[in-house]
Amino acid sequence: QQQVKQSPQSLIVQKGGISIINCAYENTAFDYFPWYQQFPGKGPALLIAIRPDVSEKKEGRFTISFNKSAKQFSLHIMDSQPGDSATYFCALGAGRRALTFGSGTRLQVQP
Amino acid sequence: GAVVSQHPSRVICKSGTSVKIECRSLDFQATTMFWYRQFPKQSLMLMATSNEGSKATYEQGVEKDKFLINHASLTLSTLTVTSAHPEDSSFYICSAIVPRQGYGYTFGSGTRLTVV
């Protein structure tokens, strides 16, 4: 059973544009919602994370929007750059258990 | 801070041999370590959870006799792939819970295993 659905599978954005990736989940027990960036051959690196007591969190060009009632959260990358080209994963965390990852989104930012 | 050092980054081994992957927490004590496997263009799939000083808990479908996990200290966890076969070729990644306000996770840089 897929606990988190991530979309789109791939995304092409022009330099300077906004990249938006979405995740939806079912189980309300989750209390930690991070986004990870992964480059080929590297481990995932935390970009930004949010907990369910806030609806939005911004760090630099990266913003998480969280809709608790809809059980959805999204990553917005403002002013996307070619260096942002990578695979992005949303994840779900609960009570110090292992994270459950989304299926990933391959982002390509064209110069 | 909160760095997990994973070695080796790449390893090629012959079919039937064993390979050990190490993950060390450099600046914190990792009481819990997670091991993931990632096939090309796929997501990270949890293999097992290890707690310092106790037996690892394996996910359904993961052979515990094939993927031996040892977490003998608060700073070191190892994954040994025994009698490796080509289908074990994958990207293996460790992760640890970071003890801080609330909690967070840090990941190793991954090990690319190729079995020939």
Side-chain angles (χ1 to χ4, degrees):
Chain A
Q1 180 182 359
Q2 191 176 11
Q3 297 200 61
V4 55
K5 294 183 179 180
Q6 183 172 343
S7 63
Q9 186 175 6
S10 62
L11 182 61
I12 299 175
V13 173
Q14 296 296 313
K15 179 182 177 181
I18 303 173
S19 304
I20 301 174
I21 306 170
N22 302 295
C23 279
Y25 62 100
E26 289 296 325
N27 191 336
T28 57
F30 294 111
D31 62 358
Y32 180 65
F33 304 89
W35 284 93
Y36 285 86
Q37 178 188 59
Q38 186 180 33
F39 292 104
K42 302 295 183 183
L46 177 66
L47 266 180
I48 187 170
I50 199 169
R51 298 196 186 270
D53 52 343
V54 296
S55 61
E56 186 175 283
K57 183 177 181 180
K58 182 177 181 179
E59 290 183 359
R61 296 186 294 113
F62 303 98
T63 300
I64 292 182
S65 295
F66 181 73
N67 187 328
K68 188 175 181 178
S69 60
K71 292 182 282 188
Q72 296 176 349
F73 60 111
S74 61
L75 174 69
H76 296 231
I77 305 175
M78 312 299 288
D79 188 26
S80 299
Q81 299 296 313
D84 296 331
S85 298
T87 300
Y88 293 81
F89 294 94
C90 65
L92 308 173
R96 299 174 181 262
R97 294 195 292 270
L99 292 173
T100 298
F101 283 85
S103 53
T105 297
R106 304 189 95 190
L107 171 65
Q108 183 180 349
V109 181
Q110 294 185 332
Chain B
V3 175
V4 170
S5 177
Q6 183 171 348
H7 293 280
S9 58
R10 290 182 182 151
V11 59
I12 300 174
C13 71
K14 291 184 177 181
S15 187
T17 62
S18 296
V19 172
K20 180 184 284 188
I21 301 170
E22 291 189 351
C23 276
R24 294 182 182 273
S25 57
L26 299 185
D27 48 5
F28 69 100
Q29 293 184 331
T31 55
T32 302
M33 195 81 80
F34 306 105
W35 287 92
Y36 293 85
R37 179 168 52 182
Q38 185 179 33
F39 291 107
K41 299 185 179 182
Q42 293 189 22
S43 187
L44 285 77
M45 298 302 295
L46 180 67
M47 298 176 66
T49 299
S50 72
N51 291 294
E52 185 266 335
S54 61
K55 290 185 178 180
T57 302
Y58 291 82
E59 295 300 298
Q60 192 173 9
V62 177
E63 300 175 58
K64 61 181 180 181
D65 294 331
K66 181 171 189 58
F67 299 99
L68 301 179
I69 293 173
N70 185 288
H71 195 161
S73 78
L74 289 171
T75 59
L76 176 64
S77 179
T78 61
L79 167 67
T80 301
V81 183
T82 64
S83 186
H85 291 282
E87 57 266 30
D88 300 324
S89 298
S90 188
F91 193 55
Y92 293 86
I93 309 168
C94 62
S95 174
I97 292 177
V98 179
R100 63 180 182 209
Q101 188 176 7
Y103 62 93
Y105 301 79
T106 188
F107 285 79
S109 54
T111 297
R112 171 71 61 195
L113 171 63
T114 303
V115 185
V116 298

